[in-house]
Amino acid sequence: MLYALTGTDQPGTLATRMAVRDAHLARLKALLDAGRLVLAGPLPAVDSPDPGPAGFTGSLVVAEFASLAEAQAWLAADPYVEHGVFAETRVQPFKKVFP
């Protein structure tokens, strides 16, 4: 089943986000290589593809997992969680309709 995983950034964590970004992307690449990743990306804090020092307000991942518990465990082990970038996280079942 598909799940939407969201994380909301804590204020002032842009430097930490950038420092652990490669480890975060490596985990997403593993999902992509396994054919389980639908989409993933950050949520810019301003209306720009490159928010600069404004940074990001969070991230969104839509991916396939065997269960809600597996999706929750995957997110809990993410570097953005482990290093305190995310103030809060949420995992919800997702039903893709389009495209």
Side-chain angles (χ1 to χ4, degrees), residues 1 23 25 43 56 58 63 65 67 72 86 96:
M1 177 159 188
L25 293 178
L43 306 170
F56 303 92
F65 292 92
S67 66
Q72 291 169 329
F86 291 154
K96 182 178 176 184

Side-chain angles (χ1 to χ4, degrees), residues 49-93:
D50 181 5
F56 303 92
T57 61
S59 295
L60 167 66
V61 174
V62 176
E64 183 178 347
F65 292 92
S67 66
L68 178 63
E70 182 183 308
Q72 291 169 329
W74 187 93
L75 184 54
D78 189 85
Y80 288 172
V81 173
E82 292 180 339
H83 291 272
V85 173
F86 291 154
E88 65 179 5
T89 60
R90 187 171 181 181
V91 179
Q92 298 175 264

Side-chain angles (χ1 to χ4, degrees), residues 5-82:
L5 293 71
T6 55
T8 303
D9 286 21
Q10 294 200 58
T13 57
L14 181 58
T16 303
R17 175 186 263 274
M18 299 314 291
V20 299
R21 182 175 184 261
D22 287 344
H24 169 76
L25 293 178
R27 297 181 81 240
L28 291 171
K29 176 89 167 64
L31 286 177
L32 180 66
D33 291 347
R36 297 170 47 200
L37 184 63
V38 175
L39 65 88
L43 306 170
V46 294
D47 189 13
S48 173
D50 181 5
F56 303 92
T57 61
S59 295
L60 167 66
V61 174
V62 176
E64 183 178 347
F65 292 92
S67 66
L68 178 63
E70 182 183 308
Q72 291 169 329
W74 187 93
L75 184 54
D78 189 85
Y80 288 172
V81 173
E82 292 180 339

